[in-house]
Amino acid sequence: MAPVPNTSPRNLTVSNAVKNQLEALPEYYGMGNLIIGGGLSLHLAGLASLNFEETPGIIDIFKKWMLPKNYQHILSFAFAVYEINENPNLSPNITLGFRIVDNCYTGRLTYATTLQLLSERGRWTPNYNCNMKEKPWAFIGGLASETSIQMSNVLGIYKLPQKVERETRGSAVLDLILTNREELVDELSYGSFDLALSDKKQFPFFYRMVPNEDSQYKGIIQLLLHFKWKWIGLVATNDDGGDTFVRTLTALLTEHGICAAFTQWTPATFTSTGKNLLMHMEKINSFFSDSKVNVIVASGDLRSLILLSVWLDLFYQSTKGKLIGKVWVMTAQWDFTAADSQGICFLRPFHGALSFTIHSNEVPGFRNFLQTLDPQQPNGDLFLEEFYKNAIEKLHYSDLGFLDANITWTKLMDLLPGAVFETSMTGQSYSTYSAVHVLVRALNEMYLSRPNQRNLGKRDRWKLQHMPQWQLHHLLKTIRFNNSAGDEISFNENQDWVAGYDILNCIVFPNESFTRVKVGRVDPQAQKGQAFSIKDDTITWNNWFNETQPRSVCSESCHSGYRKREWEGKPVCCYECTQCPEGMISNQIDASFCEKCPDDKHANHNQDNCILKTIHFLSINDTLGIVSVFSSICLSFITGLILVTFVKYQDTPIVKANNRDITYILLLSLLLSFLCSLLFTGQPNKVTCFLRQTTFLLVFSVAVSSVLAKTTTVILAFKATKPGSQMRNWLRKRVTNSTVLFCSLGQLGICAVWLATNPPFPELDMHSQSREIIVQCHEGSVTMFYCALSYMGFLAMVSFLVAFLARNLPDTFNEAKFISFSMLVFCSVWVCFVPTYLSTKGKYMVAVEIFSILASGAGLLSCIFFPKCYIIILKPSLNSKRHVMSKWG
């Protein structure tokens, strides 16, 4: 293997500036078998004032300002070539060289610099192959999208397919005819974002050494959502790139519920008149003074940043510091340090800003490479000499005072602030460094794939210039490797570098110097949900926010329990908060709507959570349940005592006169009616629901039938005492017993049909009460329930009418009057029961029915039996046949 030539910066030569028809621009040249061209941006150029006394050269047309920070881009290019030539595994038998020309960040100069790279050094002959050894084999350039497009336009003459239009079926169709030229070249850009460059029909050989901009847009959205910034401002350059930025980001903002309060356009050039400048300042005054807009997302290039910083400086002086209170979120195109290195930027408003930058890592050996530079012996690096003078001049105006013009390079690098020069690679320099490695890796793959080229002698290496470079284009698409910094380098289907972005926090000090701290990352290759990461506790915010996280919202957030109600005619981010309706909740901040709780849950007091409903039924442990059970047992006990009393005194005249069998049936039915009320207490189940209504109705029907039979007996007994009356035949027991049986069978039939067709069953009523689940018995067939209830009412009404008609009979004990009054109480209770029952829910509805059962039964018991018990127990002297047969006077 032939030795690798030494191409360190000390052995690189530079071309002499000669004047032909056009003046050649200075370039940094490193000799090698294969040359890589570089169109980088070291200066910022504007049109100069010309007196036209003599023909101006290219340089004379423009006035230039050096951007010292961008010098690192050139050094990273040279370092990559140096590193590759020192590694025999990367470039076997091949020495890599380069030609770097400064395009001054200007599209007009990019045409000249690109044509110069296509020509022999020092001569403008781009269409002639005068010296193939010096003609670049590939190109790296384009810090700005404008320069990338202009560079691609020039290079496209030599490599792009031709377009031929023809009519087919009435429409124009483009046929791409690939030429067989061997001058195909490839271009890699290290700082371009223009979407036009993604058009691979127009720029098929263009590769971007920057991540896909979609990742940056998604990162901005994730950043805004992370800090809950919903009301923001947009700043963009007034050109195609700015328009694309605003349109793309606005669509994403709308999709994620974020609103742009305003969009401020900044001029793309330095040609604004004083009138335009004042107009823009007025817009800044109206937009940026909005105290609710605390976050501004900005995109542009270095020129727009400088213009904006000048405006902010002027406006800051007139508003006494109002603009300090903003958080700037900037895209990767804005490089603060490069702008500040000119000393014309006003950086105080950008304290606490968050900036997206191209992801970079520490490159081993780069610091040592910088130590080898010597401004006293630049060895052809004209940029180094100019940078050295510019850096010393800037330090003269710093707090360090006057410096020796012959200060050593090592000491100078220690004194230079980061705004002027950094010893660690920035994101854009890292892209330049990686771009060189990409080209060499692809060349190495192509070289190894051609066995007949592996043993080329030193004199024949120039033949590599004639290798079929279309193969290189194919290799670039599929290349994948890890660089010395440990990052994987590859391209996606759009020929964009598959990488991510770092999020930096810009900290500006009182003396206008500043530093940047890495606080987050956007990694499109990370696992789902981990592409965006940020460390909140490492961020330094603007002092305006008292070191707390800023808020940027049109309306304050709606807390849990409230929902947003948008204002008509205003953005969706402007709204008012209204409390959720009763029974509904919202458990999120800024909820758009309230949610209804599940049926088994209800909203809590704050209406921000659903809690389980309580089970509601007439429990035996409730006060109402205890009273009901106690009353039922007491009345049952009293009824039992009366029954025992009547059994004990069954042979006495009063008991005999009242038809003992009917009396016993009535007392037993009342006893059972009091006891059946116990079925209504406790949690309902299948058995209790099946039995309680039918049992109660049957028992009460027997009781009412007994009262009817008893009343009928009284009337028949009076009629039978008349001479010649045939009523004595109706006083037999079977007649009265048949009356009870016949009337009870009617109710039994209704209940049998009811239970056979649609019986009662337990159910959970989750809707009647908002906070409770009512466990109740559904009547099954409501119609049958009211039919049975109506039948019982019918019997009661008949009994009442019969007793009322017999109220004036000359009975000593006035049995008919007592029965009339008892049936009046009975009917009154059940007439009141129906509306009350229908108007209550839950345990209160059950309590109403229990009360009706007990009250109506107690009415019958007290009106019919208490007077008799009074005579039997307290007035036994009246319990005689004489008194029973006698009449009241």
Side-chain angles (χ1 to χ4, degrees):
M1 181 179 294
V4 178
N6 185 4
T7 58
S8 66
R10 297 180 181 276
N11 295 322
L12 299 175
T13 61
V14 67
S15 66
N16 296 321
V18 298
K19 282 192 175 182
N20 194 4
Q21 293 180 350
L22 292 174
E23 183 181 4
L25 299 171
E27 59 180 72
Y28 188 3
Y29 175 67
M31 293 186 299
N33 304 128
L34 291 179
I35 304 297
I36 299 178
L40 309 185
S41 302
L42 181 59
H43 293 81
L44 190 64
L47 292 176
S49 299
L50 302 175
N51 53 19
F52 296 100
E53 294 179 357
E54 59 181 11
T55 303
I58 295 178
I59 298 178
D60 300 329
I61 300 176
F62 296 95
K63 182 179 180 180
K64 299 190 299 180
W65 298 271
M66 188 178 190
L67 301 173
K69 186 61 179 290
N70 286 10
Y71 179 54
Q72 192 191 85
H73 306 163
I74 297 175
L75 293 181
S76 63
F77 195 122
F79 172 69
V81 174
Y82 171 74
E83 185 180 52
I84 290 168
N85 287 337
E86 291 293 324
N87 188 345
N89 295 324
L90 294 179
S91 58
N93 298 327
I94 300 175
T95 302
L96 198 64
F98 61 84
R99 292 175 62 185
I100 302 175
V101 182
D102 179 18
N103 59 28
C104 297
Y105 233 115
T106 306
R108 298 177 185 179
L109 277 177
T110 301
Y111 281 111
T113 57
T114 307
L115 289 173
Q116 179 171 322
L117 290 174
L118 292 172
S119 306
E120 183 182 358
R121 285 190 300 130
R123 299 180 61 187
W124 285 76
T125 56
N127 290 326
Y128 296 89
N129 295 332
C130 298
N131 189 347
M132 285 297 296
K133 293 181 180 180
E134 296 179 352
K135 181 173 290 188
W137 148 81
F139 290 81
I140 296 175
L143 182 59
S145 58
E146 179 187 6
T147 59
S148 293
I149 292 175
Q150 309 303 352
M151 195 172 187
S152 296
N153 287 336
V154 175
L155 296 176
I157 300 173
Y158 299 89
K159 65 180 178 179
L160 279 180
Q162 298 178 354
K163 299 181 179 66
V164 180
E165 294 185 2
R166 69 180 181 183
E167 295 293 326
T168 304
R169 296 181 183 178
S171 62
V173 178
L174 295 180
D175 282 345
L176 305 182
I177 305 174
L178 183 64
T179 62
N180 294 322
R181 300 177 59 90
E182 293 183 354
E183 294 88 344
L184 291 175
V185 290
D186 291 270
E187 178 189 357
L188 278 85
S189 168
Y190 70 97
S192 301
F193 293 86
D194 199 294
L195 293 180
L197 294 170
S198 298
D199 184 0
K200 296 310 169 188
K201 291 183 179 180
Q202 185 177 1
F203 304 104
F205 297 96
F206 183 84
Y207 293 81
R208 288 192 291 197
M209 288 304 300
V210 293
N212 191 293
E213 199 168 20
D214 290 342
S215 300
Q216 184 173 215
Y217 286 128
K218 293 178 182 178
I220 293 174
I221 296 298
Q222 290 298 320
L223 180 69
L224 297 177
L225 293 176
H226 176 79
F227 291 114
K228 301 178 182 179
W229 293 332
K230 296 298 186 70
W231 189 241
I232 66 170
L234 297 180
V235 174
T237 53
N238 192 13
D239 56 12
D240 292 341
D243 181 66
T244 300
F245 167 78
V246 171
R247 284 190 291 103
T248 305
L249 189 60
T250 301
L252 291 174
L253 293 175
T254 304
E255 181 181 343
H256 291 84
I258 306 173
C259 304
F262 62 84
T263 300
Q264 173 64 42
W265 301 96
T266 61
T269 64
F270 290 97
T271 57
S272 295
T273 62
K275 182 178 180 181
N276 290 336
L277 186 61
L278 291 176
M279 181 181 65
H280 285 293
M281 286 187 62
E282 291 177 359
K283 290 183 178 180
I284 290 176
N285 186 13
S286 61
F287 289 140
F288 293 177
S289 59
D290 187 348
S291 59
K292 292 184 177 181
V293 182
N294 290 325
V295 175
I296 299 175
V297 181
S299 176
D301 54 23
L302 183 62
R303 293 166 296 184
S304 60
L305 173 61
I306 293 176
L307 282 173
L308 180 61
S309 64
V310 172
W311 295 342
L312 294 181
D313 189 10
L314 296 175
F315 190 70
Y316 175 75
Q317 302 300 330
S318 61
T319 58
K320 299 181 181 179
K322 275 190 178 180
L323 291 181
I324 295 296
K326 305 294 179 184
V327 176
W328 290 82
V329 178
M330 297 165 293
T331 59
Q333 292 94 321
W334 275 18
D335 187 351
F336 266 98
T337 55
D340 186 52
S341 64
Q342 273 299 308
I344 61 176
C345 283
F346 178 62
L347 299 181
R348 274 178 287 176
F350 300 104
H351 176 56
L354 298 174
S355 175
F356 285 78
T357 62
I358 301 170
H359 171 68
S360 62
N361 268 331
E362 185 70 24
V363 178
F366 183 64
R367 292 177 182 269
N368 295 332
F369 171 76
L370 296 179
Q371 299 295 332
T372 64
L373 302 178
D374 186 358
Q376 304 301 327
Q377 297 180 358
N379 292 319
D381 186 357
L382 297 182
F383 303 129
L384 173 60
E385 192 173 350
E386 182 182 3
F387 170 81
Y388 178 73
K389 294 178 181 179
N390 186 280
I392 292 179
E393 181 180 351
K394 290 187 178 301
L395 289 177
H396 283 167
Y397 294 98
S398 67
D399 296 335
L400 297 175
F402 181 78
L403 293 176
D404 185 3
N406 295 321
I407 184 175
T408 63
W409 171 255
T410 303
K411 184 176 181 181
L412 180 64
M413 283 197 301
D414 293 336
L415 295 176
L416 287 177
V420 178
F421 189 79
E422 292 184 64
T423 56
S424 297
M425 277 193 189
T426 63
Q428 292 171 343
S429 297
Y430 188 71
S431 297
T432 306
Y433 167 83
S434 299
V436 176
H437 275 272
V438 166
L439 289 172
V440 174
R441 294 275 182 165
L443 173 65
N444 193 32
E445 291 292 332
M446 184 174 65
Y447 175 74
L448 295 176
S449 66
R450 297 175 60 85
N452 58 330
Q453 298 286 351
R454 295 182 182 178
N455 299 319
L456 288 176
K458 184 175 180 180
R459 296 181 180 180
D460 296 328
R461 288 179 191 153
W462 65 271
K463 294 182 181 179
L464 291 173
Q465 293 279 3
H466 298 279
M467 293 175 65
Q469 292 169 317
W470 56 268
Q471 293 184 4
L472 183 63
H473 177 60
H474 171 72
L475 293 171
L476 285 174
K477 286 185 174 182
T478 59
I479 195 168
R480 183 182 297 270
F481 66 94
N482 290 332
N483 62 13
S484 59
D487 286 330
E488 184 180 81
I489 307 297
S490 62
F491 294 100
N492 61 15
E493 64 277 4
N494 295 323
Q495 298 171 200
D496 298 326
W497 184 21
V498 180
Y501 293 89
D502 294 331
I503 303 176
L504 304 182
N505 181 212
C506 303
I507 303 173
V508 181
F509 300 103
N511 63 354
E512 289 292 315
S513 63
F514 68 91
T515 185
R516 297 181 295 182
V517 179
K518 183 177 178 180
V519 296
R521 174 81 192 277
V522 178
D523 185 6
Q525 294 180 292
Q527 296 180 358
K528 187 176 181 180
Q530 300 179 2
F532 175 84
S533 61
I534 194 166
K535 300 178 181 178
D536 297 10
D537 55 347
T538 60
I539 300 177
T540 300
W541 301 110
N542 196 301
N543 298 333
W544 179 275
F545 304 107
N546 296 323
E547 299 182 356
T548 59
Q549 179 183 316
R551 291 181 54 80
S552 187
V553 293
C554 180
S555 301
E556 290 298 325
S557 297
C558 295
H559 299 295
S560 299
Y562 292 80
R563 67 175 180 87
K564 298 188 298 183
R565 188 174 73 177
E566 298 177 1
W567 289 330
E568 186 176 355
K570 293 205 173 182
V572 295
C573 299
C574 300
Y575 51 82
E576 63 179 350
C577 300
T578 58
Q579 191 170 14
C580 289
E582 185 178 357
M584 304 186 75
I585 67 161
S586 64
N587 53 11
Q588 296 179 347
I589 301 297
D590 288 337
S592 299
F593 53 88
C594 298
E595 299 177 350
K596 189 176 181 180
C597 288
D599 290 341
D600 61 339
K601 296 182 179 181
H602 69 90
N604 61 358
H605 177 71
N606 295 326
Q607 292 185 265
D608 59 358
N609 193 17
C610 290
I611 57 179
L612 288 173
K613 292 181 178 179
T614 57
I615 303 298
H616 180 82
F617 58 89
L618 184 60
S619 173
I620 196 173
N621 297 321
D622 291 343
T623 301
L624 195 59
I626 293 174
V627 172
S628 300
V629 171
F630 179 77
S631 301
S632 176
I633 293 175
C634 288
L635 290 173
S636 300
F637 181 75
I638 293 172
T639 305
L641 288 177
I642 294 174
L643 179 61
V644 171
T645 301
F646 270 66
V647 171
K648 181 178 180 181
Y649 295 96
Q650 61 181 335
D651 295 328
T652 61
I654 288 181
V655 176
K656 289 181 178 181
N658 284 275
N659 195 333
R660 285 178 298 185
D661 294 340
I662 297 299
T663 300
Y664 295 156
I665 293 173
L666 178 58
L667 286 173
L668 284 173
S669 62
L670 288 176
L671 176 63
L672 291 176
S673 67
F674 292 141
L675 292 176
C676 76
S677 64
L678 297 177
L679 294 173
F680 289 84
T681 58
Q683 184 170 350
N685 53 54
K686 291 182 178 180
V687 176
T688 57
C689 287
F690 188 84
L691 293 177
R692 67 185 190 181
Q693 293 290 8
T694 54
T695 302
F696 144 69
L697 289 169
L698 281 173
V699 170
F700 254 93
S701 296
V702 172
V704 175
S705 299
S706 300
V707 172
L708 178 60
K710 195 174 187 63
T711 307
T712 305
T713 301
V714 172
I715 295 175
L716 292 176
F718 176 77
K719 297 293 183 181
T721 58
K722 293 181 179 181
S725 175
Q726 300 296 323
M727 292 296 178
R728 290 181 179 272
N729 297 327
W730 295 94
L731 291 175
R732 299 174 181 177
K733 290 184 178 180
R734 61 183 181 181
V735 174
T736 56
N737 293 340
S738 297
T739 301
V740 174
L741 180 63
F742 176 76
C743 293
S744 300
L745 285 176
Q747 187 70 283
L748 181 63
I750 295 174
C751 292
V753 174
W754 181 11
L755 295 178
T757 57
N758 193 2
F761 58 89
E763 70 167 0
L764 300 178
D765 182 3
M766 299 183 178
H767 306 290
S768 297
Q769 300 293 331
S770 60
R771 298 176 180 270
E772 297 173 340
I773 298 177
I774 300 176
V775 184
Q776 63 184 11
C777 289
H778 191 280
E779 308 305 342
S781 175
V782 178
T783 302
M784 296 302 296
F785 170 69
Y786 284 107
C787 284
L789 196 64
S790 299
Y791 181 80
M792 186 186 71
F794 170 75
L795 293 178
M797 188 61 64
V798 171
S799 298
F800 171 73
L801 291 175
V802 173
F804 181 78
L805 294 174
R807 69 187 185 281
N808 294 322
L809 294 176
D811 187 7
T812 302
F813 299 101
N814 211 350
E815 185 77 6
K817 287 185 178 180
F818 292 148
I819 293 175
S820 298
F821 188 72
S822 66
M823 295 313 299
L824 179 63
V825 173
F826 185 90
C827 293
S828 299
V829 170
W830 286 104
V831 168
C832 295
F833 162 77
V834 175
T836 307
Y837 182 82
L838 295 176
S839 62
T840 55
K841 295 291 183 182
K843 64 181 182 181
Y844 301 104
M845 182 177 68
V846 178
V848 167
E849 189 167 0
I850 293 176
F851 172 78
S852 299
I853 293 173
L854 297 179
S856 58
L860 292 175
L861 187 67
S862 60
C863 293
I864 296 177
F865 294 101
F866 279 5
K868 297 178 178 60
C869 291
Y870 173 77
I871 293 175
I872 293 173
I873 298 174
L874 299 178
K875 298 290 183 177
S877 60
L878 300 178
N879 190 5
S880 63
K881 186 176 182 179
R882 184 175 60 86
H883 284 86
V884 171
M885 300 300 295
S886 65
K887 300 178 181 180
W888 285 349

